Each structure stands twice: as C-alpha cells, then as structure tokens.
C-alpha cells in the first residue's frame, strides 16, 4: 500500500487539531477539539497535559476515519504546537507532575524582575534572542521545580523530563525525549548561536540539565509510534509561527508572513544570520535541518482580531467578525477617526505596557462605519509598525507580505494593509499554513517531497492586494496614526 499521506498535529492554545494532507499538499480531512483553559488565579493560565494528549490523539483518529484512509497509508506525522508552554513529567511513567504552565501565564513576572535586577537581561538577550519575560519557558520551569514538592531533587537525579508541547506529544507517541531547534529557541535557556542549552543561563534559573530534551533538526525522524496501529515515523517538530512561515514557503531571507488571529504574529526570514533587533523584536530559530539553521525576526501585535471581537461582544456594533467588512465598507474612508486598541499596552516598537486604548478624531459626523473601519485599520497600522521595525533591523525592504489567519479573510483589511505598507499583500489558497508547514517538514524528512523548490512551486496565490495609495497619502495616514499612538502612550516616544 502506498504511503501518500501526512498527518499534521496542530496543538494550539485553545484546541487540538489534526489534518491529513495528501501528496499534493491538499487537505483531505481535519478534526478539532477544544479543551479546558484553567485559571487558578488572576493572570495564571494552565492546561492539563493529559487533556492535550487525549484531544490530540482523538482528533488524529477522527481525521484518519474522515479521510477514509488507513494508518498504513500515513508516511509520517508532523507536529506543530503552541510555543513556550511548559510541562514536567516523570521519565519512568510519563505522568505529568503538575499542569502545564501556558505561555500566557504571568506567574513568573517577579522572577523576571529579579533576573533584570541582577543585571542578567543583556546576557539572556544576547544568547537566546529573546527578552526576559514570563512568556518564555525558562522561568516557568524554575517555578515548577521550586513549587512542586520534591521536584528539584528528583530533577537532579534524572527522574523528571522537561518539554514544551512538541516534546510532550513526542514522548507520549514514541518514548523519545527530544525537541527541535525552533521550539528550543523559545525557552530562554537555549543559545541560538551555538545551538546548545546554556549552562550559565540554566544556573541563573537553577534548572538541572538532567531534565532537558535532546535538540534535533526540525525535519527528520524523531522516533516511531504505534499508537495508530502500524509504526509511523514522527518526522517533524516545529513551533506554530515558524511552521506557518514554512507553510507559506517563505524559505528565503527577506520573505515575510503575518498571521492575523486574536493577535498578529509577523516573521521575516533572515536566512543563516541571526539578526539582533534594535526595536525589541525577537530573534528566533525558524528551523534547522539539512545541515543548517535558519533564523527569523519575530514581532507581535497583542490586540489584532481581538479588536473585532470587542466590537462584536462589548460595543455590539457588529454581529459577526465577518460583518466588520461590510459595515466598514459603508463609509468611503476612516473620516479622520483612529483607534489605538492598547487594551493591554503596546508592544513593538513602542513597548509601553501602561498605554491604554483610545479613539481619536471623533466629529458629529463619525458613525458606526467609521468606528468599525478604524478598528480594522488599527490591525494593519500596528502590523505595519512591526514590519517597519523589522525592515530597519534587517536593513532591507520586504518586497511583499504573505498573510494567513482568520482575519486575513477580510478584504478591506488586507487592502488597507497593502496601502499602508506600500507593498503587495499576498493571500495564498491554503489558509491552514501552520499545519501545512509541519506536513511539509515531515514529508521532506521521509522523501514524500523532494525539495523546498518543489514545495515552493506549489504555493498558489488566491488573491493579491496591490497598494493603491500615493506616497503622499500613505505618509499622511501613517502620520495621523502615529499621532494617535502618541496620545495613547504614557511615555512619548
Ligand atoms: P486564533 O488562532 O488566534 O484563535 P483565528 O486565526 O481563528 O485566531 O482568527 C480569529 C480572529 O480573527 C478573531 O479574533 C476574529 O475576531 C478575527 N476574524 C475572523 N474573521 C474575521 C473577518 N472576516 N474580519 C475581521 N476579523 C476576523
């Protein structure tokens, strides 16, 4: 029987998804299940690792059934995952010693403040490409070792394993304790230049090296699993944003993608050079295989599609996210109204956590259409600020932007994105780029696909948004946006 399918496991923050791709890279079937978000205290977020495992396997089985294939026909499994979320489990039994601490969890903010107070920030930043923040795994590991009874001693004796979600699923599937370069680069304890766990950083966090997974190439066989019957290789692990970059076939330096979900995540491929940012962007491993590691610059917008949810749920100006487009299209332009949705502060390039949201330029003539339009435009203006910072850091202009994620379906928003950036915005036919990236990486590892060139030729444009504004108009709009942002900031930049 031919092995012509790839099973992509896309383990996200709110749901586990499994997608079967055929040899052409087309979706044959998919299944998803949500799981519980656990909030033990304000600002704390946990997941039950057993729920993650269970929903991932159940959706995989459902997708196999729906695809009308047998597990024998699956050439390989590729895993992509919510990043930074931290699990510790018993090596002997595979039992978690605590719930997973989710990337959003702020419980270790004081540990980060302490590291900064000790003057360690620049060393962490230089080695890991990250900023010292509770977001990343390192301080979460420390918290678990410090707070779960007996964990530290057991860790030192080699009885405990640490992993991000990719490692956790791999261990349960295959018994192997490994991760890949892309996920390791999000932990705050991995030196992205020398490609190894860093003893000094581990020492700063008091983490025993015995708990760490082996770091392996992103695309390659990590082990085999018999969970679905026949032995199937697990042939890729990749963090979700990097996987989306790969799924967009953005293989070359300078190629960029932006994902428009609840927040927005922009990544620019910087090739084999790890570019340090002067604007507070992150340097991350995009992927590493075929004997080389490639890097990306990453920037995020905290409130992206979430502003559309706010219009719907709090202001009740629209009844669905999709309706934002028709309502915004009822007015010719924003009428001078700008919204800065700094609900949780502003990230790159402003980094003002105390900033709060504002709407400026209201007149008696401003109506529902203007507010909705200003909300949509805030997503593209914020993304443009991040992309501008990236272009400064990489010292080259980004020729075009590939887009994906739920809000990339909004044509008015995508046109505005092209207009404010002054570059074409390219929306591909496959919107499941995160899962597709993992499928591509796994398929390459087992020879289902021969080369990146073959994959690149498969990327198909669904729609191109060509910039329509003159430079004068763009400059005026960007200046008006900047002036609105300045009103939202607590520290004038
Ligand atoms: P996530 O993976 O973060 O849950 P999705 O990629 O599923 O996000 O995108 C959902 C987000 O996109 C929501 O915040 C929603 O408000 C927004 N969204 C979805 N469709 C549209 C649309 N047509 N126009 C504007 N925003 C949209």
């Amino acid at each position: 029987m031919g092995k012509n399918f790839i099973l992509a496991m896309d383990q996200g923050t709110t749901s586990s998804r499994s997608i079967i791709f055929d040899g052409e890279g087309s979706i044959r079937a998919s299944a998803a299940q949500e799981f519980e978000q656990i909030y033990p205290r304000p600002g704390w977020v946990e997941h039950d690792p057993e729920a993650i495992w269970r929903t991932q396997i159940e959706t995989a089985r459902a997708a196999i059934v729906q695809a009308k294939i047998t597990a024998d026909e699956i050439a390989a499994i590729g895993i992509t995952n919510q990043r930074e979320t931290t699990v510790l489990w018993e090596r002997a039994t595979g039992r978690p010693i605590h719930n997973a601490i989710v990337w959003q969890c702020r419980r270790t903010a004081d540990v980060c403040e302490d590291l900064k107070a000790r003057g360690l920030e620049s060393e962490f930043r230089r080695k890991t490409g990250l900023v010292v923040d509770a977001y990343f795994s390192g301080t979460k590991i420390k918290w678990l070792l410090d707070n779960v009874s007996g964990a530290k001693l057991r860790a030192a004796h080699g009885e405990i394993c640490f992993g991000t979600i990719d490692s956790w699923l791999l261990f349960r599937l295959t018994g192997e304790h490994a991760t890949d370069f892309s996920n390791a680069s999000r932990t705050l304890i991995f030196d992205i230049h020398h490609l190894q766990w860093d003893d000094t950083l581990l020492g700063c966090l008091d983490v025993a090296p015995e708990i760490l997974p082996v770091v392996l190439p992103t695309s390659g066989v990590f082990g085999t699993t018999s969970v679905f019957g026949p032995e199937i290789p697990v042939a890729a692990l990749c963090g979700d944003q990097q996987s989306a970059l790969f799924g967009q076939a953005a293989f070359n330096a300078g190629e960029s993608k932006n994902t428009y979900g609840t927040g927005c995540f922009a990544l620019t491929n910087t090739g084999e050079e790890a570019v340090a940012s002067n604007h507070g962007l992150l340097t991350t491993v995009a992927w590493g295989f075929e004997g080389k590691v490639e890097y990306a610059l990453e920037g995020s917008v905290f409130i992206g599609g979430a502003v559309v949810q706010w219009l719907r749920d709090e202001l009740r100006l629209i009844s669905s996210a999709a309706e934002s487009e028709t309502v915004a299209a009822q007015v010719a332009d924003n009428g001078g109204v700008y919204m800065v949705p700094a609900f949780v502060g502003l990230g790159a390039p402003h980094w003002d956590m105390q900033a709060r949201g504002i709407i400026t330029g209201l007149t008696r003539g401003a109506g529902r259409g203007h507010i909705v339009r200003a909300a949509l435009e805030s997503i593209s203006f914020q993304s443009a600020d991040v992309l501008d910072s990236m272009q400064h850091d990489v010292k080259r202009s980004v020729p075009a932007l590939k887009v994906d994620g739920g809000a990339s379906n909004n044509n008015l928003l995508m046109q505005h994105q092209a207009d404010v950036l002054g570059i074409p915005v390219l929306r591909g036919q496959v919107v499941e780029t995160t899962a597709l990236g993992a499928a591509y990486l796994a398929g390459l590892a087992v020879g289902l696909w021969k080369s990146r060139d073959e994959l690149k030729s498969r990327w198909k444009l669904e729609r191109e948004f060509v910039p329509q504004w003159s430079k004068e108009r763009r400059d005026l709009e960007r200046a008006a946006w900047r002036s609105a942002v300045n009103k939202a900031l607590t520290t004038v930049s």
Side-chain angles (χ1 to χ4, degrees):
M1 187 172 293
K3 293 188 184 296
N4 295 320
F5 296 91
I6 300 287
L7 166 58
M9 296 183 171
D10 179 359
Q11 206 303 304
T13 308
T14 56
S15 67
S16 298
R17 303 156 54 71
S18 292
I19 301 185
I20 306 276
F21 289 93
D22 66 18
E24 309 298 310
S26 299
I27 294 176
R28 174 66 82 94
S30 72
Q33 262 190 53
E34 294 197 355
F35 55 86
E36 190 190 359
Q37 306 293 310
I38 302 165
Y39 304 108
R41 291 188 203 177
W44 291 30
V45 192
E46 296 180 357
H47 290 157
D48 175 358
E50 296 290 358
I52 285 180
W53 166 249
R54 192 180 59 249
T55 52
Q56 196 60 66
I57 296 309
E58 285 176 7
T59 57
R61 293 209 168 102
I64 293 169
V65 170
Q66 210 193 95
K68 300 194 172 60
I69 62 170
T70 63
D72 295 299
E73 294 174 84
I74 298 174
I77 295 171
I79 298 176
T80 180
N81 55 287
Q82 55 166 319
R83 303 172 302 171
E84 299 106 9
T85 296
T86 300
V87 192
L88 296 189
W89 65 90
E90 290 178 347
R91 193 180 298 279
T93 65
R95 261 201 309 263
I97 66 165
H98 191 276
N99 276 338
I101 303 188
V102 179
W103 57 272
Q104 297 152 322
C105 186
R106 304 302 305 168
R107 81 183 61 188
T108 55
D110 58 339
V111 179
C112 295
E113 289 313 312
D114 181 53
L115 292 172
K116 289 182 199 167
R118 287 160 61 195
L120 294 166
E121 189 169 18
S122 63
E123 182 169 9
F124 273 99
R125 181 146 184 78
R126 186 165 38 80
K127 288 178 168 169
T128 69
L130 307 174
V131 293
V132 173
D133 192 276
Y135 195 89
F136 306 105
S137 315
T139 58
K140 299 179 194 293
I141 306 173
K142 175 177 171 55
W143 189 93
L144 287 167
L145 292 176
D146 288 349
N147 288 278
V148 177
S149 165
K152 202 168 245 174
L153 198 61
R154 297 182 70 196
H157 289 154
E159 294 170 24
I160 304 286
C161 297
F162 151 70
T164 39
I165 296 298
D166 53 308
S167 296
W168 165 242
L169 292 174
L170 178 75
F171 187 85
R172 277 294 177 92
L173 283 165
T174 68
E176 303 293 333
H177 185 210
T179 186
D180 91 293
F181 292 116
S182 73
N183 276 293
S185 77
R186 312 297 300 188
T187 57
L188 207 63
I189 47 178
F190 187 74
D191 182 330
I192 60 170
H193 310 286
H194 298 98
L195 302 172
Q196 59 195 19
W197 302 114
D198 188 90
D199 287 336
T200 311
L201 302 184
L202 287 166
C204 293
L205 291 165
D206 204 8
V207 168
E210 287 78 9
I211 70 172
L212 300 171
V214 181
V215 187
L216 296 175
T218 307
S219 169
V221 175
F222 287 80
T224 62
T225 184
S226 57
V227 166
F228 305 104
E231 291 289 339
I232 305 173
V234 177
L237 306 182
C238 191
D240 55 8
Q241 297 306 325
Q242 293 100 318
S243 189
L245 189 69
F246 202 84
Q248 288 278 22
F251 304 141
N252 302 322
E255 291 190 275
S256 306
K257 72 92 192 172
N258 195 16
T259 300
Y260 300 78
T262 313
C264 300
F265 283 92
L267 269 76
T268 294
N269 185 326
T270 63
E272 291 180 68
E273 186 189 359
V275 176
S277 173
N278 293 316
H279 298 87
L281 301 174
L282 306 177
T283 308
T284 201
V285 173
W287 44 73
F289 65 105
E290 294 171 345
K292 63 182 179 188
V293 164
E294 286 156 278
Y295 297 87
L297 269 181
E298 174 175 319
S300 55
V301 167
F302 302 147
I303 303 294
V307 74
V308 177
Q309 290 168 294
W310 180 71
L311 293 182
R312 186 193 61 194
D313 302 339
E314 303 300 329
L315 300 191
R316 297 177 192 258
L317 288 179
I318 50 173
S319 55
S320 68
E323 205 200 348
S324 62
E325 182 167 352
T326 40
V327 173
Q330 287 164 7
V331 291
D333 54 37
N334 61 24
V337 179
Y338 296 85
M339 181 186 295
V340 185
F343 301 158
V344 292
L346 284 172
H350 313 290
W351 292 109
D352 182 345
M353 297 324 247
Q354 264 59 55
R356 286 298 174 264
I358 52 163
I359 302 176
T360 66
L362 293 175
T363 61
R364 182 65 183 82
R368 176 178 173 230
H370 296 105
I371 305 271
V372 172
R373 197 172 184 117
L376 288 178
E377 291 185 357
S378 76
I379 302 174
S380 30
F381 275 128
Q382 292 181 90
S383 298
D385 286 346
V386 170
L387 279 150
D388 278 0
S389 304
M390 278 180 182
Q391 303 191 59
H392 285 127
D393 285 335
V394 300
K395 299 186 184 67
R396 65 197 290 173
S397 53
V398 166
L401 180 67
K402 288 178 169 174
V403 297
D404 52 46
S408 73
N409 290 310
N410 191 309
N411 295 323
L412 188 139
L413 170 60
M414 292 302 107
Q415 183 59 51
H416 188 257
Q417 186 71 85
D419 291 338
V420 292
L421 283 170
I423 59 172
V425 164
L426 312 176
R427 190 167 66 198
Q429 287 176 1
V430 176
V431 288
E432 295 282 0
T433 46
T434 306
L436 182 62
Y440 278 171
L441 288 159
L444 281 175
V446 296
L448 183 63
W449 295 305
K450 298 287 167 267
S451 68
R452 296 188 205 191
D453 287 344
E454 179 189 347
L455 300 176
K456 191 142 197 136
S457 68
R458 217 178 262 135
W459 191 91
K460 292 278 183 314
L461 185 72
E462 184 262 325
R463 183 158 166 186
E464 174 171 358
F465 297 86
V466 180
Q468 307 283 350
W469 290 354
S470 64
K471 181 167 183 320
E472 291 68 34
R473 170 115 193 250
R474 190 163 67 243
D475 289 348
L476 280 174
E477 284 290 332
R478 294 292 293 267
W481 163 255
R482 201 160 313 121
S483 129
V485 168
N486 283 338
K487 290 182 186 134
L489 293 174
T490 55
T491 50
V492 175
S493 58

